[in-house]
Structure formats: C-alpha cells, structure tokens
Amino acid sequence: NAGVTQTPKFQVLKTGQSMTLQCAQDMNHEYMSWYRQDPGMGLRLIHYSVGAGITDQGEVPNGYNVSRSTTEDFPLRLLSAAPSQTSVYFCASSYSFRGVPYEQYFGPGTRLTVT
Amino acid sequence: LAKTTQPISMDSYEGQEVNITCSHNNIATNDYITWYQQFPSQGPRFIIQGYKTKVTNEVASLFIPADRKSSTLSLPRVSLSDTAVYYCLVGDAQGSTLGRLYFGRGTQLTVWP
C-alpha cells in the first residue's frame, strides 16, 4: 500500500493563480480531509469528506473547493491564490469508528508559497 | 465544539515517564479523545484513542477520568526520538455523519540526553 500520497511536494504560485492539490489513498477509507499548517501552529481543518459525493466545510474553508468523485481521490482547489494561503497542506484519510475518524493517516504534505 | 487546552511545551530526560494532560471541559457525550504525534516536516501520526477510563497500546497509555473533562497521555521511558509535538483532539461526532477533529497548537515535548 502506498498509503496517502500528495502531489506536488512543493509549489510556488503568484497571487490570483489557481491550482489543484492532489490527494489519493489506497486503503479504501471513507473519510478524507484537508488541513493546513502555518509555522508554529497546529493543523486547521479546511474541508472533509465522509464518502464519495459528500463533502463538508471545516474550520477554514474560504478560498478552497473540494470534490469527492471517487473513494480514492480528494483534490483541493485553490480558486484564486492569496499570500495568506502560504502554508503546508496535509491530506489525511481514515475509516470511521462510531462516527468519528479513527487513526487518520496523513500524507507527506505540500508546501505552498504564494507570492 | 469541544476545545482543548494543552501545555505549550514540556521537557524531559531519556528514560523518564512523561505525562501530558489535555483539558476539554466542553466534551460531549459522543466525543472521543485522540492523540497524535508530529515530527518536523512530517504529517501527524496517530498514537491512541479512547472514550473513558484507560486505554493502552504498545507505545502509550491514555487515562480519562470519569467526568471526561481532561485526559492524560502517558509515554513510558521516553527516548530522544520521542521529541515531537503532541496533539490532543476531541471528536465532534454529529449523529450519523462524521464529525470534525480539530487540532490545537499541541505540546512540544523535548527529550534531553
């Protein structure tokens, strides 16, 4: 199993550009999520999905879109990049236990810089 | 939404037992408590999850008192490689839909030789 994979590892964007961060998992997990982590901070939940076709907002969803057309993939789209979106982005997946994500597996992260 | 409060940092020496306490006064009946570990430039890694009393696995123990307003992660005999940030999360389960897990700033544990 590859686990959770993320591409790209690094990305530099100019303000106003759009892009998609890719996330894939091969563990057949129903739950997937996107977090961002700013320097010296904990992770903040952007969006999450409880299964194909179902997504919901997390703590900091503004400026980001997600979709979940398959169980395996959960891309994160930046609509119009802003310097405030400079961060490290982590994707995670897990199965659920009594409605709560259990043992989330995290990808290696994408380091995004917006100039 | 249950918030958590942890110490910002802790220091220990190799071979000692480390206890990190997390406060979650507003925990809901259906919430679970989960702890993660994160090394620099890596994604967090699951350590342990529990609902009440005590849970133990091969790397840690989790103690949860009866009122569940706090929890303590116990790491036995730490080594230098346990230096990391530890996060306490409280699951916000909402009925039949999956809840959201929120990370705080975590506790930076530094283990000294």
Side-chain angles (χ1 to χ4, degrees):
Chain A
N1 284 351
V4 179
T5 57
Q6 293 183 236
T7 56
K9 285 187 168 53
F10 301 93
Q11 182 70 48
V12 178
L13 290 178
K14 294 187 186 303
T15 297
Q17 287 185 316
S18 63
M19 80 159 294
T20 299
L21 307 185
Q22 301 293 343
C23 174
Q25 53 93 9
D26 61 359
M27 296 171 282
N28 202 33
H29 287 161
E30 66 266 33
Y31 184 89
M32 295 186 75
S33 55
W34 277 101
Y35 295 87
R36 61 176 287 175
Q37 185 171 34
D38 300 319
M41 303 286 288
L43 284 77
R44 290 185 292 172
L45 182 66
I46 304 172
H47 285 284
Y48 69 100
S49 169
V50 303
I54 306 170
T55 64
D56 203 351
Q57 296 181 350
E59 187 181 5
V60 288
N62 292 340
Y64 307 94
N65 273 357
V66 292
S67 60
R68 184 95 178 270
S69 57
T70 67
T71 299
E72 294 77 21
D73 301 299
F74 190 44
L76 177 73
R77 283 183 291 278
L78 278 70
L79 308 174
S80 177
S84 61
Q85 293 179 306
T86 293
S87 189
V88 179
Y89 291 83
F90 290 102
C91 178
S93 76
S94 72
Y95 63 91
S96 68
F97 176 70
R98 296 184 181 178
V100 178
Y102 186 81
E103 191 169 355
Q104 293 192 80
Y105 290 81
F106 283 80
T110 294
R111 188 174 298 273
L112 175 69
T113 301
V114 183
T115 61
Chain B
L1 187 65
K3 297 288 189 183
T4 60
T5 303
Q6 305 174 234
I8 294 175
S9 64
M10 294 182 68
D11 291 293
S12 183
Y13 292 97
E14 282 190 293
Q16 289 188 333
E17 178 185 73
V18 171
N19 295 311
I20 306 175
T21 297
C22 178
S23 173
H24 29 80
N25 291 322
N26 296 325
I27 190 169
T29 302
N30 293 333
D31 286 347
Y32 280 74
I33 300 153
T34 313
W35 286 80
Y36 283 82
Q37 174 192 57
Q38 186 180 27
F39 298 112
S41 301
Q42 294 185 23
R45 185 180 70 165
F46 173 89
I47 300 175
I48 199 166
Q49 185 181 73
Y51 182 79
K52 62 180 178 181
T53 63
K54 178 183 174 182
V55 180
T56 297
N57 61 22
E58 62 276 9
V59 299
S61 295
L62 177 60
F63 298 92
I64 306 169
D67 66 6
R68 303 200 327 121
K69 293 184 183 299
S70 66
S71 59
T72 299
L73 175 72
S74 180
L75 305 173
R77 296 180 298 281
V78 295
S79 64
L80 297 177
S81 63
D82 292 316
T83 293
V85 178
Y86 292 82
Y87 296 97
C88 164
L89 286 72
V90 174
D92 180 19
Q94 297 177 14
S96 61
T97 62
L98 278 176
R100 315 170 186 182
L101 289 182
Y102 288 86
F103 288 74
R105 293 196 176 199
T107 297
Q108 170 67 57
L109 172 65
T110 303
V111 180
W112 302 95

